[in-house]
Amino acid sequence: MDPLDAGAGGILRQPKAVWATAGASVVAFMGIGLVDPILPSIARGLEATPSQVSLLFTSYFLITAIAMLVTGFVSSRIGGRRTLLAGLALVVVFAGLAGTSGSVGELVGFRAGWGLGNALFVSTALAVIVGAAAGGSAAAILLYESALGLGMACGPLLGALLGDASWRYPFFGTAFLMAVGFLCITAFLKEQPRPARKTSLLDPLKALGHGGLASAAVSAFFYNYTFFTVLAFTPFVLDMTPYRSGAVFFAWGVLLAVFSVIVAPRAQARFRSLKVLGGSLVLLAADVLVLGYGDRATAIVCTILSGAFIGVNNTVYTELALGVSAAPRPVASAGYNFVRWFAAAAAPYFAPKIEEWTDVHVPFVVAAVTAVVGALVVVVRRKALTHEAEVLQPRHATEDGVGVFAN
């Protein structure tokens, strides 16, 4: 049955609890790209350098990476509903505080607290949606990934619309929307059954002992460096008004969503996951290299086009992480994300520093190289990565799994 079908169990006929969680998920994912259009405005408003402002991403994702070891431990003990609400409450508090920041140091610190809240929420949201959905997991997973794509696309747009008046307003707007999500989940979502086995803090690290999962995580680490060079450093290179920058990254997010949800699964079914991933990484490397050396119009086109390759990569990496080992999917996903999000923390810091040490082109050269390294890991470790991921039909997650920040 087509999961888009409006009949029983279709994506359009889900309980209010599912829609409440999916709606909050959209806002949670919006928070990732929200600051993109206003990075130059923040730098001017707080008299900060690009490398200092880029720490907004570094603190956010550094805490997110570490929190991957904690989220399963917490949710398996207090339950999915309470974990969601705890995450939402933290985002409301720290997003609101971020809007009151008087210095870039305060803003970076508040973004770290925001990252913890977002990790708790997003790491649990898919499992909650699947558990509460009608008609099985297919429609629920599609709804979740649609929420993810919509959030990634709309985050820069919201940042631009509110940030044109003041760089502080997007933070207040996010706090308000997440507060609405908190109330909706409180009203509509009942507590989900807790897993039979509680997750320990070391389980995700133990899961990385599997060669295939470790290889997927290492390859994704290098890929994420490329991804977040584009996301966090390109706004400074384009140097546009918030509206124009928001429009560019909105188009980028639309391509990311379309290629993640629609194109990637079809490409996997036809060409196999590893070929799709390797080819997409090489194309991303070429795109980033042209972005770094082209004129402004070329840089805009390449920034938008990168969303297509990023969407494909996100989906395929998720399939590999969730299917390549025998570890429970929430545990495998946590271990995988623990490794790869460190690159998301590193790229926003090092890209501006590399520009200061050299010139504006070199950060993109480095990003192109890391994408190629990610592809080489896939090629060299293809036997370890093929164990289950290539023989199973592509899937985004299952009832017992979580695509923790999967895309």
Side-chain angles (χ1 to χ4, degrees):
M1 178 183 294
D2 186 348
L4 290 172
D5 186 271
I11 190 173
L12 300 179
R13 295 184 61 85
Q14 294 295 334
K16 292 179 180 179
V18 172
W19 286 113
T21 307
S25 297
V26 171
V27 182
F29 286 115
M30 285 170 63
I32 296 176
L34 178 82
V35 299
D36 260 30
I38 57 173
L39 286 174
S41 300
I42 293 173
R44 289 190 294 268
L46 295 178
E47 299 180 351
T49 65
S51 60
Q52 289 174 322
V53 174
S54 292
L55 289 174
L56 294 175
F57 285 98
T58 297
S59 63
Y60 183 91
F61 286 112
L62 182 62
I63 296 301
T64 295
I66 296 171
M68 290 299 107
L69 302 180
V70 177
T71 53
F73 177 88
V74 172
S75 63
S76 66
R77 285 164 174 78
I78 69 173
R81 182 176 182 272
R82 291 180 179 176
T83 303
L84 290 180
L85 292 175
L88 287 170
L90 286 172
V91 173
V92 170
V93 170
F94 284 104
L97 288 173
T100 68
S101 300
S103 69
V104 70
E106 287 183 8
L107 185 54
V108 168
F110 293 143
R111 276 283 283 184
W114 185 345
L116 174 60
N118 225 40
L120 287 170
F121 176 83
V122 178
S123 66
T124 312
L126 178 55
V128 169
I129 288 175
V130 170
S137 64
I141 293 166
L142 182 59
L143 182 62
Y144 176 84
E145 294 208 355
S146 299
L148 185 153
L150 184 62
M152 291 292 285
C154 291
L157 196 61
L158 178 67
L161 293 174
L162 297 179
D164 189 59
S166 169
W167 65 263
R168 299 180 186 274
Y169 290 170
F171 298 111
F172 294 138
T174 299
F176 173 77
L177 291 173
M178 289 304 253
V180 173
F182 183 96
L183 294 176
C184 289
I185 288 178
T186 300
F188 298 122
L189 180 65
K190 298 180 180 179
E191 185 56 82
Q192 304 294 297
R194 299 183 189 181
R197 178 182 175 275
K198 294 181 180 179
T199 301
S200 78
L201 293 174
L202 295 179
D203 281 350
L205 296 178
K206 292 177 181 177
L208 290 171
H210 184 278
L213 181 60
S215 299
V218 170
S219 178
F221 173 89
F222 288 105
Y223 154 66
N224 259 33
Y225 186 94
T226 308
F227 177 179
F228 283 93
T229 297
V230 173
L231 190 63
F233 182 64
T234 303
F236 291 108
V237 176
L238 297 179
D239 193 23
M240 295 175 163
T241 64
Y243 276 125
R244 291 182 177 179
S245 183
V248 169
F249 279 96
F250 174 73
W252 169 88
V254 169
L255 275 186
L256 187 153
V258 170
F259 275 74
S260 177
V261 176
I262 298 175
V263 176
R266 295 181 180 181
Q268 285 175 273
R270 182 171 181 179
F271 298 109
R272 295 288 190 173
S273 296
L274 297 187
K275 288 183 179 179
V276 171
L277 181 58
S280 182
L281 285 169
V282 172
L283 289 173
L284 177 62
D287 179 80
V288 169
L289 201 58
V290 174
L291 191 165
Y293 281 93
D295 57 20
R296 174 172 288 190
T298 301
I300 291 172
V301 171
C302 288
T303 299
I304 294 171
L305 183 60
S306 70
F309 306 125
I310 289 170
V312 170
N313 294 338
N314 287 346
T315 294
V316 181
Y317 273 119
T318 299
E319 307 296 352
L320 291 177
L322 297 182
V324 76
S325 74
R329 288 174 175 83
V331 174
S333 184
Y336 159 77
N337 282 288
F338 171 72
V339 173
R340 77 180 185 117
W341 286 118
F342 277 108
Y349 175 76
F350 283 111
K353 286 292 186 183
I354 292 171
E355 181 196 14
E356 292 174 10
W357 299 330
T358 56
D359 60 49
V360 72
H361 306 297
V362 177
F364 294 102
V365 174
V366 174
V369 170
T370 56
V372 172
V373 172
L376 288 175
V377 173
V378 171
V379 172
V380 172
R381 297 289 297 167
R382 61 187 179 278
K383 290 185 178 179
L385 290 167
T386 300
H387 175 58
E388 288 184 39
E390 285 289 274
V391 299
L392 294 176
Q393 290 293 324
R395 62 176 184 272
H396 296 285
T398 61
E399 287 82 346
D400 63 340
V402 180
V404 182
F405 264 159
N407 294 311

